[in-house]
Amino acid sequence: MSQGDERGYGGNDPGGRTDDAYSTLGGTRQTRTRLPGGGDDGDGYGRRPARNSRSLIMAVGVVVLLIAAIAFANQGGGGGGSGGDNEKKPEAAGAGPTAATGTKPVQGKNGTIAAGFAHDEQGAQSAAANYAVALGSVDMFNKDSRHAIVNTIYTPKAASELTGPQDSAYSTDFLSKMGLDAEGKAPQGSTFISRTIPVGTKVVAYSPAATTVEVWYTGLIGMSGPESTDPVSTSWKTWTAELAWVDGDWKITSDTQKDGPAPVPGDVAASTSDEISRAVEEYGGFTYAR
């Protein structure tokens, strides 16, 4: 799922921020308190000094933190007690289909790719998300590592049919246009970046034997370096994977891809090539679980 065709170079590409913060503050009742001393307001009590804006902000902040702590404790975050009848089951919480299941990521690995997914809808979605990451990685631009990925996540039949066309797509000419040598390596002093970051997954059709899953993702691809003419940019795609249950795990039988949905670009200034290269080296990826 390399993202080469996002730049118009062709190739098989099944894979290739605005942060919103919400807080709810319940209604609170304030009581005026008169304290002895100070100026007299006519009833024998001193008038309370007016709070400045900084004190008010601090007070509101404390209330927000207190409410968050109470909510966390009520959900079982605090120690002690089994919750009894007040403990809500996950299915009773009214979670929508896009909410995370809470299932932990699989621990198994086939090389560097997650393996051993559950034989259900959740497992199929987790498999598709992790396979999207593998197919959108820089390893797809090297013949040996690409073959290893394809043979790991596709069915044997699909892998045998895909290997030849992919090798033709990832030709020396194609790699050269991406700024890479014949082995898929970047020039000295430059960093080639190709990453897929799943945003969400959806089951289109499910049966224990065959499942169709869509993965909505954003991708990074380009060359980061002082002489790069193809800087790192983002894209938004939806990858559809047909999965089959083979030898105790989900495997891809076929896949397609389309553009979008794409949000409106943010107004964050682009980082320098050094910052991008350093981020790619310092920040690792994830094992995804639906």
Side-chain angles (χ1 to χ4, degrees), residues 59-177:
V60 172
V62 171
V63 172
V64 172
L65 291 175
L66 178 60
I67 291 176
I70 294 173
F72 179 79
N74 288 338
Q75 292 174 0
S82 60
D85 294 337
N86 293 328
E87 184 176 359
K88 290 186 177 181
K89 299 275 192 278
E91 60 270 18
T98 59
T101 63
T103 301
K104 294 181 179 181
V106 294
Q107 300 299 313
K109 292 280 187 179
N110 192 337
T112 59
I113 303 173
F117 298 96
H119 192 190
D120 54 21
E121 290 190 26
Q122 180 274 328
Q125 291 182 77
S126 297
N130 286 282
Y131 294 167
V133 172
L135 289 169
S137 68
V138 294
D139 290 335
M140 289 294 291
F141 293 82
N142 174 270
K143 183 176 181 179
D144 292 339
S145 57
R146 179 172 64 251
H147 287 183
I149 291 172
V150 171
N151 290 330
T152 296
I153 66 179
Y154 286 83
T155 63
K157 182 177 183 296
S160 63
E161 295 174 349
L162 187 60
T163 299
Q166 275 196 341
D167 287 346
S168 297
Y170 287 92
S171 63
T172 301
D173 182 58
F174 165 74
L175 295 175
S176 177
K177 290 179 180 179

Side-chain angles (χ1 to χ4, degrees), residues 1 18 22 53-54 109 153 164 173 180 186 203 207 209 222 232 249 259 267-268 289:
M1 171 175 185
T18 307
Y22 299 92
S53 60
R54 182 176 180 183
K109 292 280 187 179
I153 66 179
D173 182 58
L180 304 171
V203 172
S207 77
V232 180
D249 216 344
D259 293 335
D267 57 359
V268 179

Side-chain angles (χ1 to χ4, degrees):
M1 171 175 185
S2 85
Q3 303 171 54
D5 67 348
E6 293 165 6
R7 301 304 184 86
Y9 300 134
N12 185 334
D13 179 15
R17 235 162 245 130
T18 307
D19 293 328
D20 294 324
Y22 299 92
S23 62
T24 302
L25 180 61
T28 57
R29 184 172 59 190
Q30 294 181 340
T31 302
R32 183 179 180 187
T33 303
R34 302 182 187 277
L35 302 175
D40 189 358
D41 64 359
D43 56 5
Y45 292 92
R47 186 177 303 277
R48 185 182 183 185
R51 283 185 176 178
N52 59 33
S53 60
R54 182 176 180 183
S55 298
L56 179 60
I57 292 173
M58 292 178 64
V60 172
V62 171
V63 172
V64 172
L65 291 175
L66 178 60
I67 291 176
I70 294 173
F72 179 79
N74 288 338
Q75 292 174 0
S82 60
D85 294 337
N86 293 328
E87 184 176 359
K88 290 186 177 181
K89 299 275 192 278
E91 60 270 18
T98 59
T101 63
T103 301
K104 294 181 179 181
V106 294
Q107 300 299 313
K109 292 280 187 179
N110 192 337
T112 59
I113 303 173
F117 298 96
H119 192 190
D120 54 21
E121 290 190 26
Q122 180 274 328
Q125 291 182 77
S126 297
N130 286 282
Y131 294 167
V133 172
L135 289 169
S137 68
V138 294
D139 290 335
M140 289 294 291
F141 293 82
N142 174 270
K143 183 176 181 179
D144 292 339
S145 57
R146 179 172 64 251
H147 287 183
I149 291 172
V150 171
N151 290 330
T152 296
I153 66 179
Y154 286 83
T155 63
K157 182 177 183 296
S160 63
E161 295 174 349
L162 187 60
T163 299
Q166 275 196 341
D167 287 346
S168 297
Y170 287 92
S171 63
T172 301
D173 182 58
F174 165 74
L175 295 175
S176 177
K177 290 179 180 179
M178 298 295 290
L180 304 171
D181 64 17
E183 299 299 321
K185 296 180 180 179
Q188 186 174 2
S190 296
T191 303
F192 178 65
I193 299 168
S194 180
R195 282 198 185 188
T196 293
I197 306 98
V199 177
T201 60
K202 179 179 72 174
V203 172
V204 178
Y206 175 79
S207 77
T211 301
T212 302
V213 178
E214 290 184 350
V215 179
W216 179 35
Y217 75 89
T218 182
L220 304 176
I221 188 168
M223 187 72 72
S224 179
E227 299 181 2
S228 173
T229 59
D230 190 23
V232 180
S233 63
T234 59
S235 64
W236 289 88
K237 305 279 185 177
T238 298
W239 176 60
T240 302
E242 303 284 345
L243 303 172
W245 186 255
V246 178
D247 296 332
D249 216 344
W250 292 107
K251 302 291 183 179
I252 306 171
T253 58
S254 63
D255 50 348
T256 57
Q257 180 171 270
K258 63 181 180 181
D259 293 335
V264 176
D267 57 359
V268 179
S271 300
T272 65
S273 60
D274 286 343
E275 289 175 318
I276 293 294
S277 297
R278 187 164 59 251
V280 170
E281 293 172 356
E282 294 177 350
Y283 293 91
F286 300 95
T287 296
Y288 290 83
R290 178 66 181 86

